[in-house]
Amino acid sequence: MFYFIFIGDMLVMLFMIVLVVWVFTSNSDEATDKVAKIPLEDEQHHG
């Protein structure tokens, strides 16, 4: 049972790592910067 949970956890972590790598390699630097600034701009407009 332990190995089943461990392997499942490793597969989820692998999926998340691949997703992050895919997102950062598929977008341009300008698009990534724009998306990263959304939380900061949201606080400025509502603060």
Side-chain angles (χ1 to χ4, degrees):
M1 184 68 178
F2 171 77
Y3 290 113
F4 179 74
I5 294 172
F6 180 76
I7 291 172
D9 190 36
M10 291 298 115
L11 289 174
V12 169
M13 288 178 58
L14 177 65
F15 171 75
M16 291 167 55
I17 291 169
V18 168
L19 184 67
V20 167
V21 169
W22 177 66
V23 166
F24 279 108
T25 57
S26 66
N27 289 338
S28 65
D29 287 337
E30 294 148 0
T32 304
D33 288 340
K34 185 178 178 182
V35 170
K37 290 179 184 175
I38 290 174
L40 297 175
E41 293 173 353
D42 187 45
E43 288 182 6
Q44 290 174 355
H45 292 301
H46 292 85

